[in-house]
Amino acid sequence: MILNLSQIKTEALLLFCKDLIESYKDKNDIEFNIDNEINEYINKTSNEIFKQLQIVTFSNDYYIKNRNHYRIKAVLNAYNFINKEITKELKKGKVFNPSMLYFSLLAVWFKELGKESKSKQYIYFTIYPYSLVYDKLLINIKDEKFKLMNIAMLEIAEKVVLKLDKISFK
């Protein structure tokens, strides 16, 4: 049984991002002063990415039912690693932007590290114009606290993804 660790880690990261989007989707409890246009852009982008995540990952029930299969077990181990590392980074009660976090996780994995660049399965994520979202969430933000929080999300994503890339799950 040979596993492609890059694909396992990619699937786990995508599954984590899907769960993150799903848990915060359609909630408007933003405490920051951001433009309506940017809020709508974030929602639209999240919906687009969520649809693509649903295409390339299985349902949560599938992962639960097949958790003893060696490949699914590896995906879930990688998922748990990501979850644990992000939980450590966020610390209890710390305000965070789930949109910027999932987005940064994807951008670091697919663009900065170039993972799955030859995989047709993940083509959407490898060609996505991440710079447009960075512009909207980092450069075009007037609320300084919101901008700093987004920068913190990017830093957390970089730390977690670099750790994920190095781990072997043996």
Side-chain angles (χ1 to χ4, degrees):
M1 94 181 127
I2 298 174
L3 293 175
N4 181 329
L5 281 181
S6 178
Q7 285 184 348
I8 296 293
K9 292 173 185 180
T10 299
E11 186 173 348
L13 185 66
L14 293 173
L15 184 61
F16 181 85
C17 290
K18 180 176 81 170
D19 288 349
L20 185 61
I21 292 170
E22 196 166 36
S23 67
Y24 289 95
K25 203 168 125 175
D26 302 324
K27 291 191 177 176
N28 289 325
D29 53 355
I30 298 174
E31 302 171 16
F32 298 94
N33 183 22
I34 60 170
D35 296 338
N36 227 9
E37 174 193 336
I38 291 176
N39 194 32
E40 288 174 17
Y41 179 81
I42 292 168
N43 289 335
K44 180 182 171 226
T45 301
S46 293
N47 287 332
E48 287 174 21
I49 290 179
F50 185 73
K51 286 177 191 171
Q52 293 300 317
L53 291 169
Q54 287 180 306
I55 292 169
V56 297
T57 60
F58 296 105
S59 71
N60 289 353
D61 286 343
Y62 175 85
Y63 290 100
I64 292 168
K65 287 178 185 172
N66 295 291
R67 67 182 171 269
N68 291 326
H69 184 275
Y70 69 94
R71 186 180 176 292
I72 300 302
K73 187 182 274 190
V75 170
L76 293 176
N77 284 340
Y79 179 99
N80 289 334
F81 175 82
I82 296 165
N83 190 37
K84 186 179 86 177
E85 291 299 316
I86 287 179
T87 300
K88 270 196 278 185
E89 290 293 331
L90 288 175
K91 301 181 183 50
K92 292 190 178 200
K94 186 176 182 180
V95 178
F96 76 106
N97 181 352
S99 298
M100 186 63 175
L101 180 60
Y102 85 75
F103 183 79
S104 296
L105 289 166
L106 295 174
V108 172
W109 186 255
F110 287 107
K111 284 297 186 192
E112 289 185 32
L113 297 181
K115 298 296 181 177
E116 304 304 325
S117 61
K118 294 181 172 121
S119 173
K120 290 178 185 174
Q121 181 180 8
Y122 303 117
I123 192 78
Y124 174 85
F125 301 101
T126 59
I127 64 171
Y128 190 85
Y130 294 99
S131 60
L132 297 177
V133 178
Y134 279 151
D135 285 351
K136 289 275 188 188
L137 295 177
L138 294 174
I139 296 170
N140 298 337
I141 297 293
K142 294 175 184 120
D143 186 323
E144 203 59 36
K145 287 182 182 179
F146 190 67
K147 186 184 287 190
L148 291 173
M149 180 181 55
N150 286 339
I151 292 168
M153 295 301 101
L154 178 57
E155 291 169 351
I156 289 170
E158 286 176 345
K159 285 180 193 176
V160 171
V161 167
L162 292 175
K163 285 181 182 179
L164 176 66
D165 188 38
K166 290 179 184 173
I167 197 153
S168 67
F169 297 110
K170 287 184 181 181

